[in-house]
Amino acid sequence: MQKPSLPKGTRDFGPGESAKRKYITGTIEKYFTKYGFQKIETPSLENLSVLTGKYGDEGDQLLFKILNSGDYLKNVREDDLHEGSKHLLPKIAEKGLRYDLTVPFARYVVMNQHNISFPFKRYQIQPVWRADRPQKGRYREFYQCDADIIGTNNMWNETELTLLIHDIFLALGLEDFVVKINHREILSALAGLVGMKGREEEFCVELDKLDKTGKDHVVDAMVKSGAEKKKVTDLLEIFETEGSNIEKIKIIESEVGPANGGVKQLNELLQLLGEQPDRSNKVEIDFSLARGLSYYTGVIFEVKTTSMQMGSLCGGGRYDNLAGVFGLPNVSGVGISFGLDRIYDVMEALGLFPKDVTSGLKVLITHFDEDTFRHGRRILDELRGSGIQCDIYPEIAKLKKQLNYANRIGTEFVITIGDREMESGKYAFKNMESGDQTTRTIQDIIHYFTAKD
Amino acid sequence: MQKPSLPKGTRDFGPGESAKRKYITGTIEKYFTKYGFQKIETPSLENLSVLTGKYGDEGDQLLFKILNSGDYLKNVREDDLHEGSKHLLPKIAEKGLRYDLTVPFARYVVMNQHNISFPFKRYQIQPVWRADRPQKGRYREFYQCDADIIGTNNMWNETELTLLIHDIFLALGLEDFVVKINHREILSALAGLVGMKGREEEFCVELDKLDKTGKDHVVDAMVKSGAEKKKVTDLLEIFETEGSNIEKIKIIESEVGPANGGVKQLNELLQLLGEQPDRSNKVEIDFSLARGLSYYTGVIFEVKTTSMQMGSLCGGGRYDNLAGVFGLPNVSGVGISFGLDRIYDVMEALGLFPKDVTSGLKVLITHFDEDTFRHGRRILDELRGSGIQCDIYPEIAKLKKQLNYANRIGTEFVITIGDREMESGKYAFKNMESGDQTTRTIQDIIHYFTAKD
């Protein structure tokens, strides 16, 4: 019998981990709701025709494909079997697992356009799947918590999302983070300036690897794509120039010109953010920020923690044409996506979860025999009827075993039923942490828990 | 540009549907937690070696398989391509989507056996996938809400689950339901009695189709499998005998004998349920209940509504050997699984959702121009800071458009900012449902919402 195992890049979450994950999503949902975002859900399975071509070349390779059901070779001809994996793929697989929540959202908007009131603000908290090589902070199945606004292109929306990012991370207790901001129109102009006009996507893909591969690598890759070496190295130096956000925009403006849409929008964003200085003081313009996804057309965001080495915790941006790809043009959207699993890892490493986040059973009832077990079940029913999270040891067992169990599962209190207790109606009520024991009626015990709420 | 579409058997859930689904899962989670069950999560992807062979022959065919990433034909030889879909499958697909939550749970228990305190009570609320033919109440992606107890085989556990079923359906407002109960050991004995000894699984599979295909079909199928026709028809008549649960057990006891483990356990279960007559009065012994899954070994449950035609809303049973299949023998479990999607459909059809389940924004702030928009953003910040779910129309637009929008999205109140309001600090505060309008300061408005909580 082969030992059971998990697919690589996936994990189980036990009670402690699940409680902590719920703490994070609960906090995020609370703020999403307060900011007027409404929850929707889309299926895990999407047609490959919806998913392919949306995430760049690399993205298509990282999609998980679902083999057609039944006899998937039914309509496959002999030639098809010998043209390689890529050729055969569309003939044996029509569906895939979603790669993010933005493309499904755009599809949802187009399919439901007549029933949606624009501007539409929605949130989604669901898992996504990518066949990446697993490493620290990089899983094959992970949760995204997305908030998007579609059907409006006013910079107030980018501003609101920036404030939302601040509020959420501070609520989670994470103070050391930076919100990097850039703009795809600035990146496009810069691509042209270094000699890669018409190859803006490649420019962004290479630039996005700057942190991972280093400057020399990026220079070489861009030169191979037609860029002039000196112009690239000069640009990378400009990226490193320190200064306030306003100063940085002025410097890049002298490169791309004041008419650049990105320069205008970033200035407007900074002005709107200036209305809330306490909630936007971690914003940092970073012109080297590229983000991997190809559907962004305007402002792009990326949040990193300054406390430890970790990939981005939150990312997003403006996408003017995504609904257009699905047949609904001129409906622009902007959104942000929180990576639950990375946020979890950071909070765990920094000890940011509240102590009581994994608290469990309030009371475990223990007993000695059939009669005390039966009596205990009646008490269980009374306690549960009063809303108390409690349980009874589910079979006859020695008291020592039952108490050890109570300890191991972290129960707050234990009630012990003996013959004397059945007669008197007063029960030993033991605090498992302190060891203190009192004798109380069931009403007293119920009062103890319900009066505290 | 092809119109985007969803894979068959899958659906999107808009804001209204999502709120209702959350109402159901929130209620179920509340009771699961109160009864001492702790949440865990397992991945959507499982190795096919874990999934196959657990759900009967039909089950394997209904599993969704994930094509291996990259060049999935890399290690496939020429012969493999010509032996048919079934032969090629394991060479190009190693993972699948989970089919239920019980098999993943058993795998989790075995993989974490040294860190689990038995008896272990866990709940899981996650989607599962089956390549069934879609029909009413039957989807390809659907949510299950499971509660299982593993590491104990006392009948109190089956009893507790039955009480939990009652509590949850009553809390959801569904009063017309029946909890059918049977036992696999009784079914095994009956299989032998009709001449299908050694073919108990086929007996159950055929019996499970009784509702769908009718008596004659079942008789024919069993006769084909070696049963004696008269014995089958006699048995099906016995199944239809009316009477109390105790009487029914007596009748079947005269067929299978008093030493039958199923007879003993059902009698014990009825006795324990008798301690809570108000919470177990919908229990109905039904010896024709088979359930499709092959891993059940003891009591089996199925809950149906008597209000309308619908598949089962909840099902489950005892499984003695599932952990054993994964290498941990003698660890018995029992669990129940609520079908969120079917429960939703029933509640929707019967109008059981509370009126305010889809309530949204409390306040929308409207404005006239850049100045009033800016002023409105400050007020937005004050209101949100007080915990009020509110928003501001996100771009400059005619007031009429903003008010229409407020109506369409179902906002409770609208605050309108004009020049006069900016000066006076008193704002028009309009109840969108009644049309009533008052003039209030922001503090008044905050007090209006927060004092009510």
Side-chain angles (χ1 to χ4, degrees), chain A residues 143-381:
Chain A
Y143 265 68
Q144 289 190 325
C145 314
D146 285 32
D148 286 60
I149 309 155
I150 198 164
T152 167
N153 52 17
N154 189 293
M155 279 294 108
W156 158 245
N157 298 289
E158 274 80 340
T159 307
E160 183 176 52
L161 291 175
T162 309
L163 298 175
L164 183 53
I165 287 171
H166 272 261
D167 286 358
I168 284 174
F169 282 114
L170 288 177
L172 291 173
L174 184 64
E175 297 188 355
D176 297 320
F177 64 93
V178 58
V179 184
K180 296 186 174 208
I181 291 183
N182 193 3
H183 199 291
R184 275 287 167 87
E185 285 186 54
I186 288 174
L187 286 167
S188 288
L190 294 175
L193 286 179
V194 302
M196 285 178 74
K197 187 174 172 67
R199 306 180 94 157
E200 290 84 7
E201 195 170 322
E202 281 174 66
F203 177 79
C204 287
V205 166
E206 287 312 319
L207 191 56
D208 192 43
K209 296 179 186 163
L210 186 60
D211 281 349
K212 266 179 272 181
T213 60
K215 273 198 283 189
D216 294 337
H217 238 113
V218 172
V219 172
D220 289 345
M222 289 192 179
V223 164
K224 278 207 188 82
S225 293
E228 289 180 45
K229 184 166 179 171
K230 180 153 192 342
K231 293 193 171 169
V232 177
T233 44
D234 285 349
L235 187 63
L236 294 181
E237 266 195 56
I238 288 176
F239 288 164
E240 289 172 7
T241 314
E242 304 210 342
S244 72
N245 288 329
I246 292 182
E247 287 163 358
K248 286 180 180 178
I249 295 182
K250 282 230 171 313
I251 291 172
I252 222 70
E253 187 180 331
S254 63
E255 299 287 322
V256 304
N260 181 284
V263 167
K264 287 187 190 180
Q265 289 200 333
L266 286 186
N267 276 323
E268 201 182 334
L269 177 57
L270 286 185
Q271 189 170 14
L272 286 165
L273 286 173
E275 292 176 11
Q276 297 280 345
D278 293 336
R279 289 162 69 209
S280 57
N281 51 13
K282 301 193 199 285
V283 169
E284 198 179 286
I285 303 272
D286 181 351
F287 293 113
S288 74
L289 174 67
R291 298 297 294 166
L293 296 168
S294 50
Y295 52 67
Y296 292 131
T297 52
V299 171
I300 50 179
F301 306 88
E302 182 170 285
V303 182
K304 293 192 100 137
T305 177
T306 40
S307 289
M308 57 187 276
Q309 275 285 89
M310 176 62 74
S312 74
L313 305 182
C314 176
R318 162 80 53 186
Y319 43 93
D320 289 317
N321 308 320
L322 198 51
V325 166
F326 290 123
L328 184 63
N330 305 321
V331 178
S332 179
V334 62
I336 51 175
S337 181
F338 292 81
L340 169 65
D341 304 72
R342 282 192 186 160
I343 291 172
Y344 178 101
D345 289 348
V346 168
M347 290 180 67
E348 185 74 352
L350 300 179
L352 295 176
F353 288 106
K355 264 198 67 183
D356 65 350
V357 74
T358 57
S359 71
L361 219 54
K362 297 271 179 279
V363 183
L364 181 74
I365 297 168
T366 62
H367 44 81
F368 287 95
D369 55 21
E370 283 295 347
D371 289 337
T372 47
F373 189 6
R374 186 182 315 113
H375 188 92
R377 292 194 291 268
R378 276 207 302 274
I379 290 171
L380 177 71
D381 194 52

Side-chain angles (χ1 to χ4, degrees), chain B residues 238-287:
Chain B
I238 289 175
F239 288 165
E240 289 173 7
T241 313
E242 303 210 339
S244 72
N245 288 329
I246 291 182
E247 286 164 0
K248 285 180 179 177
I249 295 182
K250 281 225 168 320
I251 291 172
I252 222 69
E253 187 180 332
S254 64
E255 299 286 322
V256 305
N260 181 285
V263 167
K264 287 188 190 176
Q265 290 198 332
L266 285 186
N267 276 325
E268 202 183 333
L269 177 57
L270 286 185
Q271 190 170 12
L272 286 165
L273 285 172
E275 292 176 11
Q276 295 281 345
D278 293 338
R279 289 163 68 209
S280 56
N281 51 13
K282 301 192 198 286
V283 170
E284 200 179 287
I285 303 273
D286 180 350
F287 294 113

